[in-house]
Amino acid sequence: MDFSVEGNVIYLISAAAGLIIFAVIGGLIWLVRSGKLKRVQLKDQTYALSANLKDEKLKSGFIINAIEDGVVTINNDQAITSFNPAAETITGWPAAEARGIPFGTVLKFVDSHGQPFPDEENPIVAAMQTAKTVRDSDIALVGKNDKSVSISIVISPLNEPGRTRNSGVVAVFRDITREKAEERQRDEFISTASHEMRTPIAAIEGYLALALNEKVTTIDANARNYLEKAHSATKHLGLLFQDLLTSSKAEDGRLQSYPTVLEMGEMLQQVTDDGRFNAEKKGLGLDYIFGSAEDVKTIRPLYYVFADQNRIREVLQNLIDNAIKYTMEGKITVRLTGDENTIQVQVNDTGQGISADDIPHLFQKFYRVDNSMTRSIGGTGLGLFICRKIVELYNGRIWVSSDMGKGSTFFINLPRVSREKAIKLQQEQAAHMSVLDVR
Ligand code: ADP
C-alpha cells in the first residue's frame, strides 16, 4: 500500500466531514426527540396566534364600540368590567365612571309602573344565579339624569373556553322608548275604537235577530239566508271587539279582577259540561279526568286557587273551545292534577297539532297558525294571548306541547292555596261582605 502525504490528507478530511455529518444528524435526532425543535416551532405558532388574538380582540372591541346596542359586561363580583359608547348614551353614565363599580348603581331597573325590582327579580342577578340567558322587554332603566328609558334587554352568561365557571354576564340592551310610546298609542286607539264600536254592533245584531224572528217579520227563504249570514258575521265582529278590548285592558293592567277562593275540580266539571254540547255536535268526545292515569285515589283532594272566577272560566273555555275547533276527529281530555304548591290543568286533543316553529309565537297577540285548516276556521288570534295575560295575572304559567298529526296538550300551572288558607280567605271575604251589607 502506498501511504503518500496527499493520500493521508484526503483521508483525514473525509473522515472529519463524516464525523461532522454524523454529529449534525445525531444532534437533529436529539433535538426532535427531546422536543426542543417542536418548542421552537410552537413558539413561532404562539407568536402568530397571539398576534391573531390581538387582532381579533381589536376587531371585536371595534365592533362593540360601533353598535347601537348598549353592551355591558359584569364580573362575578357584580362589578362592571366594560361599558360601550351606546351604553353611555342610553344610561348617561361615562364609561370611565361606570367601569369597576357595582352594576346596580349604574343599571337601575324599574318595572313598567316605575317600581324598582327587588334583588331576586333583577334580570342580571337572575342570569348570574341561573347561568341562563334572561330576556325582558317590559323593563325600564333609570339613567344618571334620573330619566327613565324603556329598554329591551338580553343578559347571557359568559362562558370562556377552558373555564368551568362562568366569568360573569354580558348585558345587551336597546332603547325602545319610541316603540313603546307608539305601541301605547296603538293600544289606546284599539281600546277606544273597540269600546265605541260595541254599542252600534250590539244594535245591528239585535235588529238582525228581530228581522229573523218569525213572530215579528215575514221574509222569504232567500232573505232569511242572507240575514242569517249577516247575523253570524255581526256576532263574530262583536266577539272580535270584545277580545280586542279585553286584550288591551290586559296589557295595561286595567283588566278587572275580583279574586275569590275557587275549587278547580268543581270549576272544570262545570266548564267541561258546558263544552260537551259543542264537542258532540262535531262528533268529538269530551272527558274530564282527575289526576294522572296512575292515580288510584278514591277521595279527590280539593285544589283551591285564589283568582277571579270569570277570568279563569274564560281561560278554560278558550282552551276547550280551541281544542274543539282545531280537532276534526277523536276526543278532548281535560285533566286536573297537582302537588302541594301547584295545581295543573291539562287540555289534550287529538287534533292536527302545532308545529315547533309556531309554538314560540302562539301566545302572542294576533298570532294564528297559517294553514288550510285555520284559514277555514274563524278566529282572531287573541284568545291565547288573553289566556296568557290572565294566567300571569295570578302568577301562573301557560304552555303547550304538541305532536304534529297526533294532537296538542295545553298546560296551566297556578299556585295552589292550602285548605287552611282557603278557609281563612273565605272567612275574610264573608266578613267583608257582611260589612258591606250593614252599610
Ligand atoms: P284563534 O283561535 O282565535 O285564532 P287563539 O289565540 O285562541 O286564536 O289561537 C291562536 C292559534 O293557535 C290558532 O289560530 C290556531 O292556529 C292555534 N291553536 C290554538 N289551539 C290549538 C289547538 N288545540 N290545536 C291546534 N292549533 C291550535
Side-chain angles (χ1 to χ4, degrees), residues 379-414:
T380 60
L382 284 168
L384 290 179
F385 171 75
I386 293 173
C387 287
R388 174 168 69 87
K389 285 289 175 184
I390 295 175
V391 170
E392 284 173 357
L393 188 69
Y394 302 114
N395 301 318
R397 200 161 76 84
I398 183 168
W399 73 103
V400 63
S401 103
S402 189
D403 231 349
M404 279 307 274
K406 290 191 179 156
S408 318
T409 307
F410 282 81
F411 297 84
I412 296 174
N413 274 9
L414 284 168

Side-chain angles (χ1 to χ4, degrees), residues 40-55:
V40 173
Q41 282 171 354
L42 271 177
K43 222 174 183 180
D44 283 351
Q45 281 173 0
T46 317
Y47 280 136
L49 245 172
S50 69
N52 266 351
L53 273 177
K54 242 185 210 164
D55 246 26

Side-chain angles (χ1 to χ4, degrees), residues 318 322-323 325-326 349 352-354 362 367-369 374 378-385 408 410:
N318 211 322
N322 273 355
K325 238 173 34 174
Y326 300 107
D349 64 56
Q352 65 167 15
I354 304 156
L362 220 59
Y367 193 83
R368 299 202 76 212
V369 176
T374 42
T380 60
L382 284 168
L384 290 179
F385 171 75
S408 318
F410 282 81

Side-chain angles (χ1 to χ4, degrees), residues 56-74:
E56 285 297 316
K57 259 190 169 171
L58 274 175
K59 239 190 257 168
S60 48
F62 176 72
I63 293 169
I64 287 169
N65 284 346
I67 59 177
E68 280 190 22
D69 288 0
V71 180
V72 176
T73 54
I74 298 152

Side-chain angles (χ1 to χ4, degrees), residues 303 337-344 416:
Y303 281 131
T337 176
D339 60 23
E340 231 174 274
N341 305 315
T342 311
I343 68 117
Q344 185 173 89
R416 183 175 178 184

Side-chain angles (χ1 to χ4, degrees), residues 172-185:
V172 180
F173 51 95
R174 64 173 51 182
D175 182 350
I176 53 164
T177 311
R178 227 180 73 195
E179 284 96 322
K180 282 273 173 194
E182 282 169 4
E183 205 178 290
R184 246 192 319 274
Q185 273 177 352

